[in-house]
Amino acid sequence: MKILAIETSCDETAVSVIEAAGTYKSPTFKVLGNVVHSQVPLHAEWMGVVPNLAKREHATNLVPVLTQSLKQAGLFAQSENKNLKSGNKKKILKILERENELAKLFSESILNIEPPKIDAIAVTYGPGLEPALWTGINFAKALSLLWKKPIVPINHMEGHILSALLPPEIVDEKDPRIKLPALALLISGGHTELVLIKDWLKYKVIGHTRDDAVGEAFDKVARMLGLPYPGGPEISRLAGEFEKNSGNNYAKKIVLPRPMINSKDYDFSFSGLKTAVLYTIKKLPGLNDNIKKEIAYEFEQSVIDVLASKTRQAIEEFKPKTLIIGGGVIANKKIRETFRKVVRDFPTTTLLIPHLKYSTDNATMIGIAGYFRWLDNKKLHKKTPKNFRATGNLVLR
Ligand code: KG4
Ligand code: ZN
């Protein structure tokens, strides 16, 4: 089946088209269209994502991003019949009432597109920034009415977990399949959690961050070092340079804590680490490039030590057949390498990490989750659920 997927939970406007078949155990996916429009340059000025700016940007970009994605998929055709049936029109206008920008583009451009040959629309409904989520949801609802296709609402974090099924970069066996029980470590700008999966589509969060998410800590520390937003890639670049240049004889001056590394649970805490960086900087006479690099290195190492230690502990307890690492922070090269080493100590656990391209936010992973939800209840998903709404703090379960 073909699924059109829409993602607008944060600062990426993304639309994908996938072709999916097979079972949970052995699914096959073809990515037909994958377009991501990043708003990073816009939010960089504010050193973080501004929800209402994000919303406006999604509204302006959704139609062009959809068009491009359909073109990639070979599913784009101009339409002759530009008239909306009067019943539909009323409903669509009502849905788009609060989406001014989108409503304009919708009537100018979407009606010129031939309804594409897809079977369902998957859309993220949480977690994330509610104003941003609403734009994607309202767009999906309007398309669903116009094209008469059902909507499958998707949890963004389930998307990050299942993104491991896309052509993976690090995989210990040739076919990227998830075998249960599985353990997922999710590390992104908004989340840090360890999730146990014993049954398909059933998630148990066994540990999470008590304060900042990993990506958030990367972004805040980067800011303290005067680095641009988003900070993750900048920190990892500096850390890499430090490692390359310092050599073995270098006496490291900066030491940061490894918060909660010895706690008996699976929870994390990164806000203390961030404060420790702040105090370290305050005590220094000043910041130069070398010191910045050393702080970046030590910070990254602290995060890695904690993530690896907690994950090891969870593998020992739950003996998962598959370990999945997902979320934007897994774009970090050192973290990818670290987990590759970690699983070497557990011969019955296979590591799955999504391809770099599908690590940060994208709609392809939402399409994959859409397919799994469809498999779960084909009958139910023939219809769009009536009252689904943007849910900023949606949890995995
Ligand atoms: O999953 P994602 O794209 O968006 C959320 O759902 O949050 O994750 C974005 C986060 C940002 O905090 C960003 O700084 C971080 O992922 N990130 C990285 C790297 N690339 C992106 N963190 C560390 N190292 C990286 N190379
Ligand atoms: Zn994400």
Side-chain angles (χ1 to χ4, degrees), residues 72-126:
Q72 279 183 2
L75 293 174
F76 179 88
Q78 296 282 348
S79 172
E80 303 281 299
N81 177 14
K82 291 167 192 161
N83 294 321
L84 266 177
K85 277 207 319 226
S86 62
N88 263 355
K89 189 171 181 177
K90 254 199 207 147
K91 280 193 199 156
I92 291 175
L93 288 180
K94 186 148 181 24
I95 287 168
L96 294 179
E97 226 165 50
R98 293 204 195 104
E99 311 281 347
N100 283 336
E101 204 65 36
L102 184 59
K104 205 170 80 211
L105 282 166
F106 201 91
S107 55
E108 278 168 10
S109 322
I110 294 289
L111 299 183
N112 295 335
I113 302 177
E114 194 71 44
K117 289 196 175 58
I118 53 162
D119 302 286
I121 300 170
V123 66
T124 307
Y125 74 108

Side-chain angles (χ1 to χ4, degrees), residues 302-346:
S302 162
V303 168
I304 289 176
D305 287 350
V306 174
L307 293 177
S309 157
K310 294 274 165 168
T311 308
R312 273 180 189 282
Q313 203 179 308
I315 297 177
E316 274 159 19
E317 181 172 349
F318 299 104
K319 308 197 168 36
K321 294 202 180 99
T322 309
L323 171 67
I324 298 166
I325 324 273
V329 179
I330 198 59
N332 184 294
K333 205 170 143 230
K334 190 87 185 280
I335 300 182
R336 294 171 102 85
E337 282 167 10
T338 302
F339 281 102
R340 210 172 185 170
K341 283 188 207 136
V342 167
V343 288
R344 279 194 207 129
D345 296 337
F346 301 95

Side-chain angles (χ1 to χ4, degrees), residues 156 160 188-190 215-216 218-219 230-233 236 327-329 331-332 360-361:
H156 180 87
H160 273 307
S188 73
E216 194 180 352
F218 266 95
D219 295 338
S236 72
V329 179
N332 184 294
T360 46
D361 289 351

Side-chain angles (χ1 to χ4, degrees), residues 40-315:
V40 160
L42 179 80
H43 298 287
E45 206 181 312
W46 309 91
M47 297 302 279
V49 183
V50 187
N52 281 320
L53 260 186
K55 180 184 177 67
R56 205 190 62 202
E57 277 293 293
H58 288 312
T60 356
N61 291 312
L62 268 170
V63 176
V65 168
L66 167 79
T67 307
Q68 209 185 328
S69 195
L70 287 176
K71 281 184 179 166
Q72 279 183 2
L75 293 174
F76 179 88
Q78 296 282 348
S79 172
E80 303 281 299
N81 177 14
K82 291 167 192 161
N83 294 321
L84 266 177
K85 277 207 319 226
S86 62
N88 263 355
K89 189 171 181 177
K90 254 199 207 147
K91 280 193 199 156
I92 291 175
L93 288 180
K94 186 148 181 24
I95 287 168
L96 294 179
E97 226 165 50
R98 293 204 195 104
E99 311 281 347
N100 283 336
E101 204 65 36
L102 184 59
K104 205 170 80 211
L105 282 166
F106 201 91
S107 55
E108 278 168 10
S109 322
I110 294 289
L111 299 183
N112 295 335
I113 302 177
E114 194 71 44
K117 289 196 175 58
I118 53 162
D119 302 286
I121 300 170
V123 66
T124 307
Y125 74 108
L129 307 167
E130 286 192 0
L133 287 161
W134 269 122
T135 305
I137 292 173
N138 285 330
F139 186 54
K141 285 185 173 175
L143 287 179
S144 151
L145 276 171
L146 185 68
W147 293 342
K148 298 187 191 62
K149 304 292 175 196
I151 298 182
V152 188
I154 295 301
N155 182 319
H156 180 87
M157 301 317 285
E158 182 170 57
H160 273 307
I161 292 179
L162 297 176
S163 68
L165 290 169
L166 288 157
E169 199 166 276
I170 301 179
V171 57
D172 291 346
E173 35 177 73
K174 280 193 200 82
D175 65 314
R177 290 180 192 179
I178 297 174
K179 294 196 182 99
L180 302 183
L183 179 73
L185 172 69
L186 297 179
I187 42 178
S188 73
H191 288 81
T192 303
E193 48 199 25
L194 267 166
V195 185
L196 184 63
I197 310 152
K198 284 191 186 160
D199 290 309
W200 297 107
L201 303 181
K202 298 239 169 22
Y203 305 97
K204 185 172 179 209
V205 177
I206 57 167
H208 57 81
T209 179
R210 296 188 179 172
D211 38 61
D212 292 354
V214 182
E216 194 180 352
F218 266 95
D219 295 338
K220 287 178 177 167
V221 167
R223 190 174 179 166
M224 292 175 202
L225 296 178
L227 303 169
Y229 172 87
E234 290 294 320
I235 298 255
S236 72
R237 185 178 57 79
L238 289 193
E241 280 179 25
F242 177 81
E243 204 169 1
K244 211 166 62 202
N245 300 339
S246 61
N248 289 336
N249 305 328
Y250 183 83
K252 258 182 0 115
K253 289 189 281 292
I254 289 156
V255 182
L256 294 169
R258 269 65 177 155
M260 294 186 72
I261 198 162
N262 293 320
S263 74
K264 292 277 172 284
D265 53 22
Y266 295 110
D267 282 353
F268 303 89
S269 162
F270 293 104
S271 124
L273 176 60
K274 173 193 73 188
T275 315
V277 174
L278 187 69
Y279 284 140
T280 304
I281 294 174
K282 275 195 177 152
K283 270 193 237 145
L284 291 166
L287 278 177
N288 60 36
D289 277 357
N290 287 335
I291 292 176
K292 281 187 191 175
K293 283 178 194 168
E294 185 171 344
I295 293 175
Y297 174 84
E298 175 65 7
F299 167 77
E300 186 180 77
Q301 205 49 54
S302 162
V303 168
I304 289 176
D305 287 350
V306 174
L307 293 177
S309 157
K310 294 274 165 168
T311 308
R312 273 180 189 282
Q313 203 179 308
I315 297 177

